[in-house]
Amino acid sequence: MLTIPAFISCNQEKKGDNPFFSEYNTPFEAPPFDKIDTSDYMPAFMEGMKQQNAEIAAITDNKEAPTFDNTILAFDKSGKLLNNVSLVFFNVNEANTNEKMQEIAQKVTPLLSRHSDDISMNAKLFERIKAIYDKRDNSGLDAQQKRVVEKYYHDFERDGANLSKDKQDQLRKINEELSLLSVKFGENMLAETNKNFQLVIDNKADLAGLPDGVISAAAEAATEAGKNGKWVFTLAKPSLIPFLQYAKNRDLREKIYTGYFMRGDNNNANDNKKLVMDMVRLRAEKANILGFDNYAAYVIDENMAKTTGAVDQLLNQLMKAATPVAKAELAEMQAISNAEGNNFKLQSWDWWYYAEKLRKQKYNLDENELRPYFSLENVRNGMFAVATRLYGISFQKVNNIPVYQKDVETYEVKDKDGSHLGIIYLDYFPSPSKSGGAWCTSFRSAGFENGKKVTPLVSVVFNFTKPTGNTPALLNWDETTTMFHEFGHALHGLFTEGKYTRTAGNVPTDFVELPSQVMENWAGEPEVLRMYAKHYKTGEVIPETLITKIQKSTLFNQGFDNAEIMAASILDMDYHKLAYPVKLNDVDAFEKQAMNKIGLINEILPRYRSTYFAHIFNGGYAAGYYVYSWAAVLDADAFDYFKQSGDLFNPVLAASFRKNCLQESGDDEGMVQYIKFRGQAPTIEPLLKKRGLN
Ligand SMILES: [Zn+2]
């Protein structure tokens, strides 16, 4: 069955005390963070790659004819050590890094990418996989085995395994060029965001309108920049956005916003326009080599959407629905400005400032009024309680699992029948060694080994408001929904089952945000708010007036939010629908034309302009920025199904969602799994209604 290579003895590295080289002797076999030293990572990576190479050599050298067990299963189970060390290293590098860790990351990343290229272009391995693939319909494989074979075959095909040697070399070159361009794009962006622009204020009057906390943060930034006694604002969101929201000085708002949206477009050493053109051209060429009309078609072929046409249809429909709402918002804001006695037409740098005024006027909602009802503890207990009511699972805090940082909490999750489901790690607060944002990963994925289930270790990392003095951490509404969102990803990881690594929990990118986004819906329901939103001091349940305000304010600024996101999604698609050979010689003109075509109003810019669209030029989202919107259709439709049933915790629907969309999510195509739950394809109406776009 499983090929276990017999080579593990001939490494000259001392490895007696490297914790990655033996079974973890810890509760739930969790990584022994208390024993892992930074110096253990590199030897473990090297040994991990070596072991996987030997495992693959054992597959390709096998004299027996290729079978599912001696080839597909052996490959599916290969690389265990490499996987173990990668999951631990890269997660800790995001959540609790240091210079040594970053050095290792820089050193190991190109090695890992070469390692994976060597595997996907291994002709002998592909030959064996192809032999099994060709006979998959009449060799007695069960449905899951057949799916795994097809998935692997397509992976190899998509990576160029079927191409001639010449074309493969061409592809390797393109991949290498693309990865270098992407790194350069990121470096330029970092310089343009952090170095090349600062708004320095030395006249106190120019701070008018700004809240005290924002002013003191700007004073600290000035001191750090050696500009004592002045105030410094930067293009980082926590500095930029409050300035745009509150600064009365309109000229300065224009100055900082212009600084923001011109990043990478300043015709200086950090200009990204040429990189954008080169990347778009190379991607089209890559798609052409692999037999696709364009790069978007290549990417989306793997996804639920299947075709660029299906994506275009959704984005255009949402853009059409958002535009009149955005125009109405603009008119309301213009009226506020006119009433103030101004005689100018609002511009893009005015939007946040007047939106804030509109929020106050229309919804009378002050964030600080809500916070006392959303202590971190109450929100966490609330999301646990929602999961308990939906799925019958329970959470028990455990204190004997090693953690990578002392504030991390661990919970054992048990199923309805009391059996162990997995562990969830929760890491709440920002620190200088942690990346921004929030994310969910795992230290061990759910799987199957030697005939038994491997239970997952899921990790969720946040950057929430910290406790101060005697006051516990009090979350704002955005943080509250973020907690539910990431917890949704965690539930996906905890419930996943499946015999094969390739398919267990492995869903297309436009399905990924369904399990997470759907949980956000519960957070804001009055019935659920009454369950968990209690005053941290008195325990008083949140008043109905506040519940009403929360409900109403969900429609705030939706025209703007949707228009800017659709504009960016469509821009991404337009670039990646260009066919080879690409004729693109003016990025700004291309962008302008794309925005005019969809009728984006001048007062709104795409959420990301080309020269700082990191998702698509520096991250993995090329032709994929649409996935959030795609999943939003699914999550709104799924939640609507619960609501229509008259029971937010409908046990029959919950069981079906768990089985089809979480537990067995990778067993079949994303849409097939969704329809198994929903009984029909999703419709867009629930999303339009939820966002006030109907
Ligand atoms: Zn997410």
Side-chain angles (χ1 to χ4, degrees):
M1 294 281 287
L2 178 64
T3 311
I4 299 188
F7 60 90
I8 304 179
S9 54
C10 53
N11 193 338
Q12 61 273 56
E13 303 240 19
K14 180 182 81 132
K15 51 187 183 178
D17 51 0
N18 190 320
F20 289 110
F21 294 148
S22 46
E23 295 293 322
Y24 301 154
N25 187 17
T26 49
F28 309 103
E29 288 162 62
F33 288 109
D34 51 340
K35 298 203 171 64
I36 296 171
D37 186 83
T38 312
S39 65
D40 293 324
Y41 288 118
M42 209 57 207
F45 274 120
M46 300 311 288
E47 179 65 21
M49 286 186 266
K50 196 170 144 194
Q51 285 190 14
Q52 190 173 30
N53 285 337
E55 286 163 337
I56 286 168
I59 297 171
T60 54
D61 292 348
N62 194 333
K63 298 279 179 298
E64 288 165 35
T67 63
F68 182 86
D69 282 355
N70 77 17
T71 301
I72 300 288
L73 188 62
F75 182 55
D76 191 64
K77 300 295 175 207
S78 74
K80 185 182 168 188
L81 171 61
L82 185 58
N83 193 40
N84 282 350
V85 61
S86 298
L87 286 176
V88 171
F89 174 79
F90 287 107
N91 289 338
V92 176
N93 191 40
E94 288 297 312
N96 191 26
T97 193
N98 56 44
E99 263 175 40
K100 269 194 198 159
M101 295 283 288
Q102 287 170 335
E103 264 170 42
I104 296 170
Q106 276 169 19
K107 205 163 137 194
V108 80
T109 305
L111 297 180
L112 289 174
S113 116
R114 201 169 314 147
H115 177 71
S116 110
D117 267 357
D118 287 345
I119 293 174
S120 45
M121 295 195 195
N122 182 325
K124 278 170 145 183
L125 179 59
F126 181 61
E127 201 181 298
R128 291 181 72 94
I129 290 175
K130 187 171 184 306
I132 299 160
Y133 174 81
D134 288 342
K135 283 188 288 190
R136 68 192 182 284
D137 285 325
N138 38 32
S139 47
L141 300 179
D142 67 29
Q144 269 318 295
Q145 291 172 327
K146 206 179 128 188
R147 181 167 164 81
V148 175
V149 170
E150 287 171 350
K151 281 284 165 194
Y152 276 128
Y153 179 80
H154 285 297
D155 290 346
F156 276 76
E157 200 181 32
R158 286 174 60 80
D159 287 338
N162 255 334
L163 300 173
S164 66
K165 181 79 178 51
D166 275 7
K167 294 275 181 196
Q168 282 188 347
D169 289 345
Q170 214 179 327
L171 199 59
R172 268 185 195 261
K173 229 181 116 222
I174 290 175
N175 286 340
E176 205 180 300
E177 263 187 82
L178 277 171
S179 74
L180 291 173
L181 288 167
S182 154
V183 171
K184 184 75 186 128
F185 186 98
E187 285 171 5
N188 285 346
M189 235 190 95
L190 206 65
E192 287 278 281
T193 307
N194 295 343
K195 281 195 203 140
N196 296 355
F197 182 95
Q198 268 187 350
L199 178 65
V200 184
I201 292 181
D202 45 20
N203 179 0
K204 212 169 177 183
D206 289 336
L207 300 169
L210 295 170
D212 290 344
V214 174
I215 294 174
S216 51
E220 272 172 40
T223 307
E224 271 168 41
K227 298 186 167 78
N228 241 325
K230 298 184 182 180
W231 298 269
V232 164
F233 291 87
T234 69
L235 301 180
K237 285 271 164 94
S239 183
L240 169 79
I241 298 295
F243 195 89
L244 290 173
Q245 281 173 317
Y246 300 112
K248 278 192 178 157
N249 187 322
R250 185 168 188 242
D251 292 339
L252 293 180
R253 291 204 307 269
E254 176 177 357
K255 196 171 169 192
I256 196 168
Y257 192 52
T258 307
Y260 176 78
F261 72 68
M262 287 305 289
R263 286 178 301 158
D265 193 10
N266 290 313
N267 300 316
N268 57 14
N270 304 118
D271 196 281
N272 270 336
K273 292 195 285 288
K274 169 112 181 16
L275 300 187
V276 166
M277 289 189 280
D278 286 346
M279 289 175 92
V280 169
R281 175 177 57 79
L282 286 167
R283 283 171 179 165
E285 190 178 350
K286 175 173 176 169
N288 178 265
I289 291 174
L290 290 164
F292 287 86
D293 290 345
N294 53 59
Y295 192 73
Y298 166 70
V299 170
I300 294 168
D301 190 52
E302 276 280 279
N303 288 354
M304 277 179 90
K306 296 282 174 230
T307 65
T308 57
V311 173
D312 292 343
Q313 199 199 338
L314 170 68
L315 297 177
N316 288 325
Q317 190 177 356
L318 287 171
M319 185 68 203
K320 248 193 202 123
T323 301
V325 180
K327 284 181 179 166
E329 288 163 358
L330 179 64
E332 286 181 293
M333 298 192 302
Q334 185 70 56
I336 294 177
S337 171
N338 294 349
E340 286 175 349
N342 299 321
N343 60 351
F344 54 78
K345 205 173 152 291
L346 297 188
Q347 302 294 328
S348 58
W349 46 85
D350 295 316
W351 196 288
W352 285 264
Y353 186 73
Y354 286 96
E356 212 37 50
K357 295 195 172 207
L358 186 61
R359 190 208 308 256
K360 207 137 191 238
Q361 189 184 85
K362 221 172 159 177
Y363 304 104
N364 186 25
L365 183 63
D366 179 359
E367 197 173 271
N368 298 319
E369 222 182 330
L370 291 181
R371 283 190 192 263
Y373 296 95
F374 296 90
S375 73
L376 186 140
E377 199 186 340
N378 283 344
V379 175
R380 184 198 57 222
N381 292 344
M383 75 187 189
F384 283 170
V386 167
T388 301
R389 281 190 64 180
L390 283 170
Y391 306 119
I393 59 178
S394 61
F395 302 81
Q396 181 70 51
K397 192 162 183 219
V398 278
N399 297 314
N400 61 349
I401 296 178
V403 289
Y404 56 88
Q405 189 263 97
K406 64 175 175 35
D407 295 335
V408 175
E409 290 183 345
T410 51
Y411 288 82
E412 184 186 3
V413 188
K414 285 186 174 165
D415 213 338
K416 219 179 330 191
D417 61 4
S419 60
H420 175 76
L421 258 182
I423 298 293
I424 178 168
Y425 296 66
L426 297 172
D427 177 352
Y428 302 112
F429 304 117
S431 96
S433 58
K434 194 194 262 191
S435 301
W439 63 92
C440 175
T441 54
S442 62
F443 293 119
R444 180 175 67 221
S445 305
F448 203 75
E449 208 178 278
N450 303 326
K452 67 178 216 271
K453 213 188 138 183
V454 176
T455 58
L457 307 168
V458 178
S459 166
V460 188
V461 183
F462 305 101
N463 276 285
F464 287 152
T465 305
K466 279 185 171 181
T468 47
N470 291 330
T471 314
L474 301 177
L475 307 187
N476 67 17
W477 184 243
D478 195 44
E479 291 172 324
T480 301
T481 52
T482 297
M483 180 110 101
F484 275 76
H485 177 109
E486 299 305 332
F487 182 59
H489 284 305
L491 289 176
H492 188 194
L494 287 163
F495 285 144
T496 288
E497 279 182 19
K499 277 190 180 168
Y500 308 107
T501 311
R502 178 61 186 84
T503 48
N506 200 330
V507 296
T509 51
D510 47 7
F511 186 98
V512 169
E513 299 298 331
L514 164 64
S516 52
Q517 289 178 179
V518 79
M519 288 304 292
E520 295 179 39
N521 292 286
W522 272 276
E525 282 294 318
E527 179 185 348
V528 180
L529 285 166
R530 286 180 212 116
M531 277 165 59
Y532 75 91
K534 295 176 184 163
H535 199 284
Y536 77 97
K537 270 188 192 157
T538 62
E540 169 219 6
V541 174
I542 188 167
E544 291 300 311
T545 48
L546 278 182
I547 292 184
T548 312
K549 280 188 192 177
I550 293 174
Q551 292 254 296
K552 270 193 172 166
S553 67
T554 55
L555 296 184
F556 169 69
N557 215 28
Q558 282 292 322
F560 175 90
D561 283 350
N562 281 279
E564 67 160 8
I565 288 172
M566 291 318 132
S569 308
I570 289 167
L571 182 61
D572 167 30
M573 288 298 290
D574 281 358
Y575 275 124
H576 295 111
K577 280 191 300 182
L578 293 173
Y580 177 81
V582 167
K583 284 177 206 70
L584 173 67
N585 45 33
D586 187 339
V587 163
D588 285 343
F590 183 86
E591 182 181 300
K592 187 105 196 79
Q593 198 189 2
M595 297 300 98
N596 287 343
K597 197 185 67 194
I598 57 171
L600 181 69
I601 56 177
N602 287 329
E603 294 79 2
I604 300 177
L605 298 180
R607 184 168 184 121
Y608 304 101
R609 291 191 57 229
S610 312
T611 52
Y612 54 91
F613 205 157
H615 282 85
I616 67 170
F617 293 118
N618 182 41
Y621 282 79
Y625 193 60
Y626 82 89
V627 301
Y628 298 97
S629 306
W630 185 272
V633 173
L634 299 175
D635 89 67
D637 184 73
F639 189 68
D640 187 59
Y641 196 28
F642 278 91
K643 283 196 103 164
Q644 296 300 329
S645 80
D647 181 0
L648 287 184
F649 298 99
N650 186 315
V652 177
L653 298 190
S656 172
F657 188 78
R658 170 174 173 172
K659 178 174 158 53
N660 297 305
C661 296
L662 302 175
Q663 197 168 307
E664 299 171 0
S665 61
D667 280 15
D668 208 325
E669 295 303 289
M671 191 57 89
V672 174
Q673 290 302 125
Y674 186 77
I675 291 173
K676 282 184 196 165
F677 154 68
R678 184 65 179 86
Q680 62 183 55
T683 64
I684 197 172
E685 280 70 29
L687 178 68
L688 294 177
K689 191 169 164 230
K690 177 175 157 186
R691 295 189 174 175
L693 303 179
N694 50 344

